[in-house]
Amino acid sequence: MSLTPKFLTLTAMSGGAGAGPRGPYMSFITDRNTNLLIRGGLLFSVGVFLALVLNLLQVQRNVTLFPPDVISSIFSSAWWVPPCCGTASAVIGLLYPCIDSRVGEPHRFKREWSSVMRCVAVFVGINHASAKVDFANNVQLSLTLAALSIGLWWTFDRSRRGFALGVAIALLATLTTQLLVYNEFFQYTSPDFLYIRSWLPCIFFAGVITMGNIGRQLALYEHKLLQKTHQD
Amino acid sequence: MTLREQLRAKISAAFYHHGLLCASYPVPIILFTSASILTCCYPLLKLPLPGTGPVEFTTGVRDYSVPSHEPHGDQGERPDWYRGPPVAYIQQVLVKAAVSPWDSSLVPVDVFRSPLGQVFRLLEEIRNHVYSDSSGVRSLESLCLQVTDLFPGLRRMQTVLPEHGCLLVSPGNYWQNQRELFDSDPDLFKTIQKHEPKGLHTSATLRDLLFGVPGKYSGVSHYNKKRVVTYTITVVLLSYDARFLNSLRARLKQLHPSANCSLREDHMVHVHFKEEIGIAELIPLVTTYIILFAYIYFSTRKIDMVRSKWGLALAAVVTVLSSLLMSVGLCTLFGLTPTLNGGEIFPYLVVVIGLENVLVLTKSVVSTPVDLEVKLRIAQGLSNESWSIMKNMATELCIILIGYFTLVPAIQEFCLFAVVGLVSDFFLQMFFFTTVLSIDIRRMELADLNRRLPAEASLPQPKPVPLRTREAPPPPRPSPHTITLQTPAFRNLRLPKRLRVVYFLARTRLAQRIIMAGTVIWIGILVYTDPAGIRAYLAAQVSEQSPLGDPGVSGLSPHLAVAPVFAAGDPTSALNIHPAPDPTPVPENQSQGHHSSGRALPLPPLSHSVPQITWGAEDEEGWRRLSFRHWPSLFSYYNITLAKRYISILPVIPVSVHLSPQEAIETRHPHDTRHRPPLIPKVSADLQTDLTLYKVAALGLAAGVLLVLLLFCLYRVLCPRNYGQNGAAHGRRRRGDLPCDDYGYSPPVSEISPLLLRGHSMDIECLASDGMLLASCCLAGQIRVWDAQTGDCLTVIPKHSSSGCWEQREGLDGLSREPEEEDYFPLRRRASPSRLALFTDQPDLTPLIDTNFTSQPPSHLSTPPKEGFDYGSLVERAYTEHEPPSPSSYPCASSASSSPSSAAQPQRRLSVGDGGGASSQERGSGSGSQAAADWESSVWAMELRGNLIAAGRSSGKLEVGLWDAVEGSLRCRNEDGVSGITALAFLNNRIVAARLNGSLDFFTVEINKPLALLQYRGAPGQGSMPPSPCYTSEDVISCQLTRSVQCAHQKPITVLRAAAGRVVTGSQDHTVRVYRLEDSCCLFTLQGHSGGITAIYIDQTMVLASGGQDGAICLWDVLTGSRVSHVYGHRGDVTSLVCTTSCVISSGLDDLICIWDRSTGIKLYSIQQDMGCGASLGVISESLLVTGGQGCVSFWDLNFGDLLQTVYLGQSSDSQVVRQLLVLDNAAIVCDFGSELSLVYVPSVLEKLD
């Protein structure tokens, strides 16, 4: 905003009484670190929430036993599972836009909240299907889930780096779970393939894509805000 | 042309025709669609309603046989679940025991101690009952349901529920079915209570399970008035053996005959349980629904630029939902009964079908050119998006097809549903939604039309209501561009729609009445559907009150009812009963029981205590009084689910036990007498009920608070105060954002092409206009005068024209242009006209004044200004009296101001006396009269009246210069001031200048006319300003300082406004002062702000509003000087203020525009502006607000806060911000746009006729 001499004079004479147009709230929001923190917190809570709910679905499938009380069945898994999921989702959600900005321009495909919501719904649906639908054998289950996950990626992401990151993180997560099982932190009721549940990587992949989608949308928000302040 | 392109063209054409069809016949198409929806949904009526309540089916006991798995041909009325054996048969033995006659020496504990003790004997009987015939020996062990472990989570119930054996529950389980434990238990009541859950459990507690009757009917309490204890022994049988059961029944009845029992024993009830949904399953379901609603919300909020956003969002949701219903209906019609849980797959179906197509359609239609016909717009919008819609649909169908080949039944079924849903959704989109959209868009255009009356239509009729009586003399003459104001009476009623709904609700108390009616209906339904409870209650009351009548009535029937059963069972039991009692170690007990009952039966009918045990109809099926979750929870303890299965409940075996007081005393525990005072347990029971009451109350309170919060949120969602604000986040269409949309439609080319006035070299600082002319001043000090109608640059007054030699522009010879003067609508020409080679050899003359003669102001002869406004007759007279008119002047021109019949003609008139020639003569004299000025200073304030420009300059010596606006000659100047002029007001013939040092100077412009030529032009349009004089170039104009108020303010005057004979100044010293214009007398000093004044508004109706640096806005009464209202609206300075008859519009440094109700001072809503455009706003009519933005101008509907249209000013919309905005009287808007000016006529959408 180019200030006219008149305005300058007036403000000078009034002792600079005119405050800037931006309040403390805006500057708080636009501060980069704070923004990062807020985004991380949001992603963490989303991850914890999804972990709790999806765990409940798995509980119904009798992957674990069914205690009578509902509240305790929500927290039936070990206490460290939801925080781990939350942390992981926060990391993934921050990693995706970061890599986007490093590699090139921000991701532009279907950047809308409605699309993100659709993605989350499909993710929950995949979990639901894996928990509720009775498959003939585990190979069928795994194949179906793999197709669904890749369909999820194709519908909502379609970026090559998203796919690569998803696969990498899914493999890493499966490996970690495998190690945990090996060290007997916990165990499955019925491992079906090399001591792991064969559909686990698919679920991890879909989860990574979903969290990445949310993270990108949040980052887009920040991007817009920063742009606006830069213009000022 | 490839095949793909051919296909695309064909699809596009088909969609185009379809769109035309839909928009042409909306009503038949909607009717057709609704009819087809209803037809497709008709099969749904056959489907059972969802619910988890159990279903019953009653069969006779006699001819009972286990139903086969295969459905028989002759099903009759058998439900389809009645196949195969049940999970279990339930045989209940209902025991009613009482101590009779009641003795005053007995303590309250005796009421239930000895009756409960009877259970062990009965259990023994039942366990040891053996029936043997030719087919073998059968005992309970062989028939009963053998259970294994309890569910692992139920360790604490291990002591009370049986494990590894027959599922046989009775109150004896509390004491592990051991009489010794019971006898040694000091406090039975405590033992029973010990296992009760702590929380609020209403259904299927352990006590209910063991007693088999609801807790309050069991009679086990310290204040049992009836002194009858009721409990059941529940035997769960795996297989049904009629003979064994009959012998058991006969045996028990023989031991404990129930004299007056009339229970029917010939029916068994099969209860089928639906699949139950626990909370644990509900949580993921709720989560998916929340996600679904978020999806719908985020989708529908993208709909904008339509008449009714909510209506369209509703239509979109209806489209999706009814397509789902249609798909389910069609699938049922073709025999595909849904086995999937509908509630679970529903959200995913919605997500698969999606709302995207609907939104794409809306956006596409909305972005078609607005001036097209509605039909064509719909058709175009449809055909634009046809390819992407078809492509998406094909993709989705492919994906679903792939899913179909997974060969998993559940997924296949889901895919089938999804396919049918997709197709029906497509059908509905094409027919239903498109039609609704066309109706909506037509309504929007009609609404725009109604908002203003068409100028042509209003002309011939005389105005029925004068708009403002005060300004009657110069009636506002509608020019072709004028927007007709709405009458205030109309305006006052037009509240925002959402507010109107809320007011309506408040007025009629609709919600309250609906809730009341709903409650009444609910209670009615409860009474109607569940009369059993009330009937049972009434029966209990009756039986209590008539102790003599009851046995009398039922006394006849027991023999009738029991006898046949006995007769049937007798032959076998008579043979086989004797093995059973043999091992019983309690012969004396049995005999005693027999004896007592036998004694009680004949003797006490005469005494008072006989009717203690009564059998009524409610005992027949006592399990009905239990919670319907009773049996599922009992079985779930052993990990047996009853979901989608059934159990068979056999008729109860009634057992009456009468105990003598002697026995009761014998079985007493020593503690019972010690704890004799019954007050303590009573108090504890009271305490417990109290606690429960408190819990219920607390829960109710919490629920109420939650409800209130929910309603509040709902209210905020429905009726947000600042809906303009969040509307701006997504409502404003930005050019930069649109290409990013992944739907790939291009933004429409701006419908209105603004006229760019180029010429300034630097940013524009001051802008002034009187409707006809427009003066602008840039930072370089250059003043340019433009024609406000055509946008032609008339004069350029450069900063460094020391010789006073004005650059003038001259087009063609005036005479040669005369034939064109009849053309009242001159072409819009860009500001740089082509110079003619004719003038190139004359350097002083070549910078042409573009004497576009049609735009030159008239200079008729007239009398000097007088008081009053009716100049028409004066002009007429002066015109005829004085000089003969030149051929170019029109007689009708002078009468234009007096007679409204000629109002259609433009007000711009050709200047008298060959303006071109006159100006060329004047050129020399004008330049000679000018003195050298201090041109170093910049112009800080500028005003334009008539054809005079007043400019206030800043530094050093200060002066007021008056220029002839057309000719650009400096007419006079005044350099009396010492301090910079910060603000100017030019009213009638007075100029008021406010200075930086706080002083206020009043100047009078005096015109000495040698020829007495002066004409007043009627001010067109709103008439808020008096007509301004037109000076001819011959006049000698002098400007004299009449009065100077030295210390008007302590600090610099920041803002100055003049209207209605008042001058209002606002200063940094936090005060507002009101002066009278005639005598410069200070009338009021208005105090109330806590910061410097930054904005003032005053108009002819004496409305005064002021805004300060504190963000406050004050409304004042100018007549009394009192403050009417005081509101805080902005963070930071208030930069601009405008009032209409009903509201106040303010803008602040926070880039927020707030709209306040003027009478109440309530904020109606606010609009978020672009950064730095806060001050640019203007009101075109009562209901049309215009705001500046980043490279665009937006039009808002003031009544509703809806964005009407956005006009982009330049092709490159980056970084240029509209900072000033001026509304001209002819419904044009001038805004600065960097170094350019932009002239925008009010959008054509407002003038469009359907």
Side-chain angles (χ1 to χ4, degrees):
Chain A
M1 185 173 180
S2 67
L3 296 173
T4 61
K6 175 186 163 188
F7 184 80
L8 276 179
T9 322
L10 282 178
T11 21
M13 290 199 65
S14 64
R22 283 196 292 137
Y25 175 72
M26 284 294 287
S27 58
F28 177 74
I29 289 291
T30 47
D31 180 37
R32 196 166 196 114
N33 288 330
T34 325
N35 192 283
L36 209 66
L37 217 64
I38 290 174
R39 271 197 289 152
L42 273 176
L43 286 166
F44 180 81
S45 48
V46 168
V48 168
F49 178 70
L50 280 181
L52 288 177
V53 168
L54 299 181
N55 183 50
L56 209 60
L57 276 175
Q58 299 296 332
V59 164
Q60 284 172 25
R61 194 163 167 82
N62 279 339
V63 177
T64 60
L65 289 170
F66 201 99
D69 280 327
V70 181
I71 303 301
S72 59
S73 78
I74 291 179
F75 300 103
S76 61
S77 60
W79 62 269
W80 47 266
V81 172
C84 277
C85 290
T87 317
S89 56
V91 168
I92 292 164
L94 294 176
L95 199 64
Y96 258 79
C98 177
I99 283 182
D100 278 344
S101 63
R102 284 285 157 82
V103 172
E105 77 287 354
H107 192 244
R108 281 260 168 244
F109 181 74
K110 285 198 181 173
R111 283 276 68 92
E112 282 157 342
W113 274 112
S114 61
S115 160
V116 172
M117 281 300 148
R118 220 179 170 191
C119 180
V120 175
V122 172
F123 174 61
V124 176
I126 289 176
N127 275 276
H128 207 140
S130 79
K132 281 285 172 70
V133 177
D134 293 318
F135 289 89
N137 52 37
N138 281 311
V139 179
Q140 204 177 27
L141 171 68
S142 306
L143 282 182
T144 311
L145 285 187
L148 280 175
S149 314
I150 290 179
L152 183 83
W153 168 78
W154 175 253
T155 324
F156 298 105
D157 191 319
R158 281 197 210 178
S159 69
R160 217 171 294 162
R161 50 178 179 272
F163 188 81
L165 202 60
V167 168
I169 294 177
L171 287 181
L172 197 73
T174 315
L175 200 70
T176 317
T177 336
Q178 176 76 355
L179 281 178
L180 286 177
V181 172
Y182 186 75
N183 289 325
E184 292 182 350
F185 274 97
F186 67 98
Q187 63 188 40
Y188 301 114
T189 45
S190 57
D192 47 37
F193 176 72
L194 288 180
Y195 299 102
I196 58 169
R197 298 220 126 203
S198 53
W199 43 263
L200 212 56
C202 304
I203 295 283
F204 277 134
F205 178 76
V208 169
I209 297 290
T210 307
M211 292 319 293
N213 218 338
I214 297 176
R216 278 169 168 171
Q217 185 67 31
L218 286 174
L220 193 74
Y221 224 61
E222 182 211 37
H223 190 70
K224 272 183 185 169
L225 267 178
L226 285 181
Q227 252 184 357
K228 213 170 178 182
T229 48
H230 281 312
Q231 278 171 7
D232 187 41
Chain B
M1 194 184 244
T2 62
L3 184 69
R4 179 189 153 98
E5 279 167 357
Q6 272 178 354
L7 191 68
R8 189 169 178 165
K10 273 191 184 159
I11 289 176
S12 183
F15 272 72
Y16 191 88
H17 290 302
H18 176 76
L20 274 184
L21 178 80
C22 283
S24 306
Y25 307 104
V27 177
I29 286 182
I30 284 195
L31 286 179
F32 163 71
T33 323
S34 327
S36 48
I37 291 175
L38 289 181
T39 317
C40 291
C41 292
Y42 175 70
L44 287 181
L45 291 180
K46 291 179 194 161
L47 285 182
L49 282 176
T52 54
V55 185
E56 290 173 14
F57 178 61
T58 311
T59 56
V61 175
R62 296 274 183 79
D63 48 352
Y64 174 78
S65 62
V66 177
S68 61
H69 281 283
E70 289 77 29
H72 287 288
D74 178 30
Q75 281 279 313
E77 68 280 6
R78 281 186 176 189
D80 51 358
W81 49 261
Y82 186 59
R83 279 178 213 158
V87 177
Y89 299 89
I90 310 267
Q91 175 66 65
Q92 281 192 312
V93 179
L94 182 58
V95 181
K96 290 197 175 192
V99 177
S100 66
W102 186 253
D103 202 325
S104 58
S105 64
L106 296 173
V107 292
V109 188
D110 292 332
V111 172
F112 55 85
R113 180 173 272 278
S114 55
L116 274 182
Q118 294 298 313
V119 75
F120 300 102
R121 203 174 300 152
L122 283 167
L123 277 174
E124 205 81 17
E125 286 286 343
I126 293 167
R127 273 181 200 282
N128 299 330
H129 186 76
V130 172
Y131 171 78
S132 63
D133 60 0
S134 54
S135 59
V137 177
R138 268 155 287 180
S139 69
L140 191 69
E141 283 293 321
S142 61
L143 293 174
C144 76
L145 182 74
Q146 299 282 345
V147 292
T148 55
D149 278 330
L150 273 174
F151 203 78
L154 295 167
R155 303 283 173 218
R156 61 190 170 82
M157 289 198 176
Q158 255 174 339
T159 53
V160 283
L161 284 176
E163 275 188 304
H164 305 288
C166 276
L167 182 52
L168 179 69
V169 283
S170 68
N173 286 68
Y174 279 121
W175 299 275
Q176 282 92 46
N177 292 331
Q178 291 170 33
R179 176 91 198 197
E180 299 76 39
L181 285 177
F182 178 78
D183 285 337
S184 59
D185 189 359
D187 193 347
L188 301 178
F189 203 73
K190 196 173 151 194
T191 313
I192 294 170
Q193 288 292 337
K194 187 172 71 185
H195 293 285
E196 288 304 288
K198 296 290 178 291
L200 263 180
H201 281 255
T202 52
S203 66
T205 58
L206 184 67
R207 179 171 171 171
D208 288 353
L209 281 182
L210 295 189
F211 274 85
V213 288
K216 60 179 173 179
Y217 295 110
S218 67
V220 180
S221 67
H222 288 286
Y223 41 99
N224 181 2
K225 294 273 167 57
K226 288 172 73 181
R227 301 192 184 105
V228 177
V229 175
T230 312
Y231 53 88
T232 62
I233 300 168
T234 306
V235 187
V236 181
L237 302 167
L238 186 61
S239 54
Y240 180 72
D241 190 324
R243 290 175 183 178
F244 173 80
L245 286 173
N246 278 334
S247 78
L248 180 66
R249 179 182 298 268
R251 168 76 184 155
L252 288 176
K253 282 194 171 184
Q254 192 186 359
L255 286 178
H256 306 281
S258 309
N260 46 11
C261 177
S262 64
L263 302 186
R264 302 195 312 164
E265 298 172 342
D266 50 350
H267 281 106
M268 63 196 289
V269 182
H270 311 278
V271 183
H272 178 251
F273 294 92
K274 297 266 177 64
E275 187 168 23
E276 49 187 270
I277 299 177
I279 299 177
E281 292 178 53
L282 227 52
I283 288 175
L285 201 65
V286 167
T287 313
T288 50
Y289 271 92
I290 288 172
I291 295 172
L292 174 73
F293 282 123
Y295 168 62
I296 290 178
Y297 169 72
F298 281 118
S299 298
T300 50
R301 67 178 265 181
K302 287 191 294 189
I303 297 178
D304 58 353
M305 294 290 291
V306 290
R307 166 90 178 130
S308 159
K309 208 170 164 168
W310 288 83
L312 271 191
L314 187 71
V317 174
V318 163
T319 305
V320 172
L321 291 192
S322 45
S323 71
L324 279 178
L325 285 181
M326 276 171 80
S327 76
V328 177
L330 286 177
C331 287
T332 339
L333 189 68
F334 291 111
L336 285 162
T337 44
T339 55
L340 293 174
N341 189 342
E344 272 178 34
I345 63 166
F346 176 74
Y348 304 121
L349 268 179
V350 171
V351 166
V352 164
I353 289 173
L355 290 164
E356 260 71 19
N357 272 351
V358 167
L359 304 177
V360 167
L361 271 185
T362 313
K363 275 192 171 180
S364 162
V365 168
V366 161
S367 59
T368 49
V370 274
D371 43 355
L372 279 178
E373 211 183 328
V374 176
K375 262 191 243 179
L376 298 178
R377 285 185 72 186
I378 297 283
Q380 269 193 14
L382 266 183
S383 77
N384 282 348
E385 284 304 325
S386 60
W387 182 243
S388 72
I389 287 177
M390 291 309 285
K391 216 167 60 180
N392 276 341
M393 183 153 159
T395 320
E396 283 181 350
L397 283 180
C398 276
I399 290 175
I400 289 172
L401 211 65
I402 292 171
Y404 190 75
F405 286 110
T406 50
L407 299 177
V408 180
I411 291 183
Q412 275 180 330
E413 192 175 342
F414 179 83
C415 288
L416 213 60
F417 272 112
V419 166
V420 182
L422 263 185
V423 173
S424 52
D425 184 53
F426 180 72
F427 164 77
L428 285 183
Q429 274 165 18
M430 285 302 110
F431 284 92
F432 178 69
F433 189 77
T434 313
T435 318
V436 170
L437 191 64
S438 79
I439 291 174
D440 184 85
I441 286 187
R442 183 163 295 138
R443 271 183 64 207
M444 180 164 80
E445 303 208 331
L446 284 179
D448 284 339
L449 204 66
N450 289 338
R451 204 164 293 149
R452 45 163 233 117
L453 299 171
E456 292 85 339
S458 68
L459 266 183
Q461 305 146 358
K463 285 242 175 346
V465 182
L467 285 184
R468 291 176 192 167
T469 45
R470 250 190 239 185
E471 299 151 18
R477 295 183 301 175
S479 76
H481 294 288
T482 305
I483 290 180
T484 312
L485 302 180
Q486 238 167 0
T487 51
F490 266 75
R491 175 60 187 82
N492 288 341
L493 291 174
R494 300 222 29 197
L495 287 164
K497 204 183 282 172
R498 285 154 242 195
L499 269 185
R500 266 187 288 168
V501 169
V502 171
Y503 285 168
F504 173 74
L505 289 182
R507 201 170 56 240
T508 56
R509 300 182 185 280
L510 205 61
Q512 199 181 348
R513 286 178 189 183
I514 288 174
I515 289 171
M516 275 167 59
T519 316
V520 168
I521 291 172
W522 180 61
I523 291 173
I525 289 175
L526 271 189
V527 171
Y528 179 75
T529 55
D530 184 32
I534 290 173
R535 211 185 296 145
Y537 175 74
L538 288 179
Q541 292 289 318
V542 168
S543 63
E544 254 178 41
Q545 282 169 3
S546 59
L548 284 175
D550 206 22
V553 169
S554 55
L556 298 171
S557 48
H559 300 291
L560 292 175
V562 174
V565 181
F566 250 98
D570 215 16
T572 47
S573 67
L575 284 172
N576 302 294
I577 263 175
H578 61 92
D582 275 347
T584 48
V586 281
E588 73 276 10
N589 264 353
Q590 185 194 348
S591 65
Q592 203 173 17
H594 209 75
H595 178 63
S596 73
S597 63
R599 192 177 53 190
L601 200 57
L603 291 179
L606 306 172
S607 80
H608 61 97
S609 62
V610 177
Q612 267 188 343
I613 296 178
T614 55
W615 294 91
E618 74 273 10
D619 296 322
E620 196 172 296
E621 290 174 333
W623 52 271
R624 282 192 196 281
R625 289 184 293 196
L626 294 167
S627 149
F628 72 93
R629 294 200 39 82
H630 183 87
W631 304 116
S633 56
L634 174 62
F635 282 94
S636 72
Y637 288 153
Y638 298 96
N639 212 359
I640 300 170
T641 177
L642 290 184
K644 293 185 178 176
R645 296 158 87 183
Y646 75 98
I647 55 171
S648 299
I649 298 175
L650 304 172
V652 294
I653 302 172
V655 169
S656 303
V657 181
H658 289 267
L659 296 164
S660 64
Q662 192 60 38
E663 285 173 300
I665 292 169
E666 277 171 11
T667 51
R668 259 187 209 170
H669 191 269
H671 275 273
D672 289 348
T673 43
R674 222 179 292 159
H675 286 282
R676 187 169 176 158
L679 276 176
I680 300 155
K682 194 167 183 177
V683 164
S684 77
D686 278 354
L687 206 69
Q688 203 173 14
T689 50
D690 275 3
L691 271 180
T692 321
L693 203 69
Y694 289 143
K695 277 178 193 166
V696 169
L699 272 179
L701 203 68
V705 169
L706 205 70
L707 197 72
V708 166
L709 282 178
L710 195 76
L711 282 179
F712 179 73
C713 292
L714 206 67
Y715 169 76
R716 285 307 298 258
V717 168
L718 281 177
C719 182
R721 274 279 172 77
N722 50 354
Y723 35 82
Q725 193 171 2
N726 53 25
H730 56 90
R732 176 171 304 184
R733 297 187 311 176
R734 289 243 190 96
R735 178 162 289 209
D737 283 355
L738 285 173
C740 299
D741 243 344
D742 58 310
Y743 300 116
Y745 71 89
S746 56
V749 183
S750 188
E751 298 85 359
I752 303 152
S753 52
L755 203 57
L756 281 186
L757 313 182
R758 294 203 177 89
H760 281 293
S761 55
M762 291 179 74
D763 279 9
I764 290 161
E765 180 173 16
C766 299
L767 209 55
S769 169
D770 68 339
M772 296 297 104
L773 296 174
L774 176 66
S776 63
C777 175
C778 70
L779 284 177
Q782 192 186 46
I783 300 175
R784 278 175 179 258
V785 182
W786 318 79
D787 187 320
Q789 296 279 336
T790 61
D792 296 329
C793 182
L794 300 177
T795 317
V796 178
I797 306 169
K799 183 178 178 182
H800 296 287
S801 59
S802 55
S803 66
C805 184
W806 303 97
E807 294 177 30
Q808 296 190 347
R809 297 190 169 195
E810 191 168 349
L812 286 166
D813 188 11
L815 290 170
S816 67
R817 289 291 297 271
E818 281 202 354
E820 284 184 34
E821 284 158 8
E822 276 124 356
D823 182 13
Y824 294 125
F825 301 95
L827 298 169
R828 294 181 181 185
R829 285 194 285 161
R830 290 297 160 125
S832 53
S834 59
R835 296 181 174 186
L836 291 175
L838 180 67
F839 294 103
T840 46
D841 54 342
Q842 295 171 331
D844 267 354
L845 301 178
T846 38
L848 299 169
I849 181 166
D850 188 7
T851 38
N852 180 11
F853 289 135
T854 56
S855 65
Q856 279 209 338
S859 55
H860 283 294
L861 309 174
S862 183
T863 48
K866 287 184 175 180
E867 296 295 319
F869 295 103
D870 190 10
Y871 296 101
S873 56
L874 290 175
V875 169
E876 193 79 35
R877 201 178 60 220
Y879 178 76
T880 48
E881 280 178 5
H882 290 277
E883 275 197 356
S886 68
S888 60
S889 65
Y890 291 87
C892 64
S894 56
S895 64
S897 57
S898 59
S899 71
S901 63
S902 62
Q905 289 175 338
Q907 296 164 13
R908 293 167 287 109
R909 292 286 172 261
L910 184 71
S911 66
V912 163
D914 299 331
S919 61
S920 56
Q921 285 171 12
E922 187 61 29
R923 216 172 288 145
S925 63
S927 57
S929 67
Q930 285 154 6
D934 182 13
W935 295 105
E936 300 307 313
S937 58
S938 60
V939 175
W940 272 7
M942 192 165 66
E943 276 291 308
L944 179 66
R945 280 289 171 274
N947 48 4
L948 287 180
I949 302 171
R953 291 183 177 271
S954 60
S955 62
K957 291 197 291 179
L958 273 299
E959 46 106 6
V960 173
L962 279 176
W963 282 276
D964 187 318
V966 178
E967 293 157 19
S969 55
L970 182 66
R971 285 315 190 77
C972 78
R973 69 173 61 207
N974 191 310
E975 300 180 18
D976 299 339
V978 288
S979 183
I981 294 177
T982 55
L984 268 180
F986 197 163
L987 204 67
N988 294 340
N989 56 347
R990 283 171 186 272
I991 298 173
V992 186
R995 297 184 186 274
L996 207 54
N997 60 2
S999 64
L1000 198 62
D1001 290 349
F1002 291 79
F1003 298 94
T1004 309
V1005 178
E1006 286 175 3
I1007 302 145
N1008 304 317
K1009 271 169 283 295
L1011 296 170
L1013 290 174
L1014 185 61
Q1015 196 238 346
Y1016 278 85
R1017 290 182 300 166
Q1022 289 183 314
S1024 58
M1025 53 188 82
S1028 44
C1030 263
Y1031 309 98
T1032 56
S1033 45
E1034 286 87 6
D1035 303 341
V1036 176
I1037 298 170
S1038 65
C1039 176
Q1040 286 179 348
L1041 179 69
T1042 51
R1043 181 154 180 219
S1044 177
V1045 183
Q1046 275 311 319
C1047 268
H1049 285 281
Q1050 308 297 322
K1051 284 187 172 177
I1053 296 173
T1054 49
V1055 57
L1056 172 73
R1057 292 279 183 277
R1062 298 283 183 275
V1063 175
V1064 186
T1065 59
S1067 161
Q1068 298 271 13
D1069 63 0
H1070 305 188
T1071 58
V1072 177
R1073 285 188 175 219
V1074 182
Y1075 293 88
R1076 200 150 52 205
L1077 189 62
E1078 298 97 66
D1079 53 357
S1080 326
C1081 167
C1082 177
L1083 298 176
F1084 302 110
T1085 301
L1086 309 176
Q1087 288 172 331
H1089 283 283
S1090 55
I1093 310 296
T1094 49
I1096 282 180
Y1097 176 86
I1098 184 169
D1099 66 11
Q1100 285 298 115
T1101 55
M1102 290 273 196
V1103 177
L1104 175 58
S1106 63
Q1109 283 174 335
D1110 50 350
I1113 297 160
C1114 292
L1115 290 180
W1116 311 87
D1117 185 354
V1118 180
L1119 296 175
T1120 62
S1122 60
R1123 191 166 70 185
V1124 179
S1125 64
H1126 182 224
V1127 288
Y1128 283 94
H1130 296 279
R1131 288 172 299 168
D1133 302 9
V1134 176
T1135 52
S1136 176
L1137 266 177
V1138 180
C1139 297
T1140 68
T1141 50
S1142 61
C1143 54
V1144 179
I1145 302 145
S1146 67
S1147 70
L1149 267 186
D1150 50 358
D1151 295 321
L1152 213 61
I1153 292 182
C1154 298
I1155 286 86
W1156 311 81
D1157 187 51
R1158 199 166 106 179
S1159 51
T1160 59
I1162 294 170
K1163 184 155 126 182
L1164 297 177
Y1165 52 93
S1166 61
I1167 300 168
Q1168 180 67 49
Q1169 281 277 80
D1170 279 344
M1171 209 64 95
C1173 313
S1176 56
L1177 85 161
V1179 172
I1180 296 179
S1181 73
E1182 280 292 312
S1183 61
L1184 194 59
L1185 172 73
V1186 55
T1187 63
Q1190 196 163 5
C1192 61
V1193 182
S1194 303
F1195 296 90
W1196 303 82
D1197 185 344
L1198 260 184
N1199 299 324
F1200 305 108
D1202 296 333
L1203 177 68
L1204 293 177
Q1205 192 159 13
T1206 303
V1207 175
Y1208 295 98
L1209 298 177
Q1211 292 303 315
S1212 59
S1213 61
D1214 44 1
S1215 78
Q1216 289 284 27
V1217 162
V1218 173
R1219 233 174 281 118
Q1220 291 185 51
L1221 198 143
L1222 202 64
V1223 176
L1224 304 186
D1225 299 322
N1226 52 2
I1229 299 145
V1230 182
C1231 41
D1232 73 329
F1233 190 53
S1235 65
E1236 295 164 357
L1237 280 177
S1238 193
L1239 194 62
V1240 183
Y1241 285 96
V1242 169
S1244 55
V1245 65
L1246 299 176
E1247 295 172 0
K1248 196 171 138 195
L1249 301 173
D1250 194 21

